Amino acid sequence: MPSDHTPQHDPLERIFAYRVFDLRDRFPQPLETFRQALECLQSDNAYLPDMSGEIVAYLRGGRAVPIPEHLFIRQAGHSASVVQKNENDRVCNAVEAWLRETLSQENEDMVNASTVRPSRLNILLDQCDPNAPEPDDIQAW
């Protein structure tokens, strides 16, 4: 007897790659899983990941979803740190649940993938004064 409803597609199938950002952009290669991306931030190659670490999920169709950093970076007062490797299973499960929820509905968390750059770069750019005079060394050059 045929089923009355069609099978639901897993929203995570919309993701084709993950990208890791750190302050020096040391991880330009796309990664297959969130766990691989998280392990990049936990590696010795990451530059100030607690201050600049970001992970973005790229979707089929040209969209992208920045994953909230509070899921993989712990804040304690004025200090921050990437979660410890022994927390990876829990963090990956939490991110997977967040992505399923986010991808099951179109929302403002999704952005055009071609415009993705680290949000902390946007914060720095917002703090810059576009009308500030150029330093003398730049004018001399």
Side-chain angles (χ1 to χ4, degrees), residues 19-112:
R19 171 83 197 281
V20 178
F21 294 94
D22 70 354
L23 198 56
R24 292 199 173 155
D25 200 18
R26 292 185 169 171
F27 306 101
Q29 73 281 9
L31 300 162
E32 279 187 50
T33 67
F34 173 80
R35 182 178 295 269
Q36 290 170 331
L38 178 59
E39 288 171 352
C40 285
L41 286 182
Q42 293 168 328
S43 75
D44 291 336
N45 292 334
Y47 185 76
L48 299 175
D50 49 333
M51 293 178 53
S52 62
E54 295 187 45
I55 301 174
V56 174
Y58 287 98
L59 311 177
R60 294 173 194 348
R63 306 289 283 169
V65 179
I67 297 171
E69 67 182 39
H70 73 269
L71 293 172
F72 55 91
I73 295 180
R74 297 286 173 253
Q75 299 284 337
H78 292 298
S79 66
S81 62
V82 177
V83 296
Q84 297 296 309
K85 289 183 180 185
N86 63 357
E87 296 181 72
N88 285 5
D89 287 342
R90 184 188 54 75
V91 170
C92 289
N93 290 337
V95 167
E96 188 175 295
W98 181 86
L99 281 167
R100 274 202 172 88
E101 176 67 27
T102 301
L103 296 177
S104 67
Q105 54 199 351
E106 284 291 323
N107 63 39
E108 65 278 356
D109 291 329
M110 293 185 199
V111 296
N112 185 324

